[in-house]
Amino acid sequence: MMMTALQVALGGAIGAVLRFGVGVAVMRFASPGFPVAIIGVNILGSFLMGLFVIYSIQKGLGHLNPLVMTGLLGGFTTFSAFSLEAFTLYDEGQAAQAALYVVLSVAGSLLALALGVWLARAVFA
């Protein structure tokens, strides 16, 4: 149990640092006000989750799930930040942007996950 917790902690730390780096990089190029970095991270994280879940099953690497899926990708994706951003947009009177943000994040993440699963099944089967 302790080793699993350490794997989650290590993966989470790495994922959080990666998320921070992506956020900093995107904010240098994106206009402020709309959370483009968080949308991108959520979609990319969901895609990678779709790839890894199939890869780990096909290759018998389920023992890496705490490190990669719970830790790394859990630390990288940002649905708690997503919720805060959506609420903030709504709270600031930008209900249409909040709704667009929610729809793009959720639909994009689900589609990316499905694409990751499809691609992993095609490549790793």
Side-chain angles (χ1 to χ4, degrees), residues 14 38 48-49 56 81 83-84 97 104 109 121:
I14 294 167
I38 292 174
L48 294 173
M49 184 78 76
S56 69
S83 299
L84 177 61
Q97 275 199 323
L104 287 175
S109 294
R121 285 180 177 156

Side-chain angles (χ1 to χ4, degrees), residues 16-40:
V17 169
L18 289 172
R19 180 182 67 231
F20 174 76
V22 169
V24 169
V26 169
M27 291 314 293
R28 291 183 187 202
F29 301 104
S31 61
F34 194 75
V36 175
I38 292 174
I39 289 174

Side-chain angles (χ1 to χ4, degrees), residues 2 4 7 16 18-19 22 25 29 31 37 40 46 55 60 62 64-65 79 85 91 96 103 106 108 111 118 122-123:
M2 185 60 150
T4 301
Q7 286 180 335
L18 289 172
R19 180 182 67 231
V22 169
F29 301 104
S31 61
S46 295
Y55 181 76
L64 294 178
N65 288 354
F79 264 73
E85 294 286 352
D91 197 46
V103 168
V106 173
L111 289 172
W118 173 82
V123 172

Side-chain angles (χ1 to χ4, degrees), residues 24-101:
V24 169
V26 169
M27 291 314 293
R28 291 183 187 202
F29 301 104
S31 61
F34 194 75
V36 175
I38 292 174
I39 289 174
V41 164
N42 283 338
I43 292 170
L44 177 59
S46 295
F47 173 75
L48 294 173
M49 184 78 76
L51 281 177
F52 190 79
V53 71
I54 299 303
Y55 181 76
S56 69
I57 291 168
Q58 294 290 330
K59 300 297 181 181
L61 299 173
H63 64 282
L64 294 178
N65 288 354
L67 174 70
V68 176
M69 293 175 63
T70 305
L72 181 76
L73 295 174
F76 182 66
T77 59
T78 55
F79 264 73
S80 58
F82 156 80
S83 299
L84 177 61
E85 294 286 352
F87 178 78
T88 300
L89 286 169
Y90 178 80
D91 197 46
E92 292 176 349
Q94 299 175 10
Q97 275 199 323
L100 178 62
Y101 177 50

